[in-house]
Amino acid sequence: MATASNQSPTDVLTKDALSKPVQPNDVPATNAVSGSGSVRVEIFDQVYNLRGSDADYILKLAEYVDGKMRAVSEQTATVDSVRLAVLAALNIADEFHLLKRQLEKPSPEARQRASKLASALDEVLQDTRRTG
């Protein structure tokens, strides 16, 4: 469960700098976002104070990570939260790379359309050369 708070942040999280580590804080989470962009989130029963330019985005990320950790927790016998976090990170990395691969590889429909457009362009260019 991800929640937000107006407490002072201990860590920074932005869309461009997601690799900065966050540290747990033992204060219970509340439902508020401060004007300075600080957000208190709870991921797998650990509270983190984060700061960034888009609190809603941070909350969505925290909810996603929490969900992944809980899903991994249900599928494995381990109770070690570090191990669960690593397994959840591997699952997220797998999703990312599958989506990246899909974006890099054009669909058969896109390839067929590109081929038709290339043929039409070649036809127009040949007609222009003949009449030009």
Side-chain angles (χ1 to χ4, degrees), residues 5-132:
S5 171
N6 60 2
Q7 299 280 328
S8 63
T10 58
D11 297 289
V12 175
L13 177 70
T14 64
K15 290 180 187 176
D16 299 323
L18 295 177
S19 60
K20 179 164 175 62
V22 292
Q23 300 298 319
N25 187 326
D26 295 329
V27 180
T30 58
N31 291 318
V33 178
S34 79
S36 67
S38 65
V39 182
R40 176 162 287 190
V41 298
E42 187 177 319
I43 301 172
F44 205 69
D45 302 325
Q46 292 289 316
V47 177
Y48 301 88
N49 291 313
L50 307 173
R51 184 179 55 202
S53 59
D54 188 344
D56 288 335
Y57 181 73
I58 293 169
L59 286 170
K60 285 180 186 178
L61 291 176
E63 288 172 1
Y64 187 78
V65 171
D66 182 70
K68 281 291 177 188
M69 287 187 69
R70 291 185 188 285
V72 169
S73 165
E74 290 173 5
Q75 296 173 6
T76 62
T78 187
V79 292
D80 180 6
S81 61
V82 173
R83 183 176 288 270
L84 288 172
V86 169
L87 292 172
L90 286 170
N91 276 285
I92 293 168
D94 180 49
E95 287 177 3
F96 168 76
H97 284 282
L98 289 173
L99 289 170
K100 185 177 172 185
R101 197 175 310 146
Q102 286 177 357
L103 288 174
E104 290 171 348
K105 180 181 168 189
S107 69
E109 296 84 16
R111 272 183 272 165
Q112 183 180 13
R113 183 170 167 89
S115 178
K116 285 182 182 179
L117 289 171
S119 295
L121 181 59
D122 286 342
E123 230 177 271
V124 169
L125 290 174
Q126 285 177 358
D127 287 345
T128 303
R129 288 182 190 142
R130 283 187 215 141
T131 61

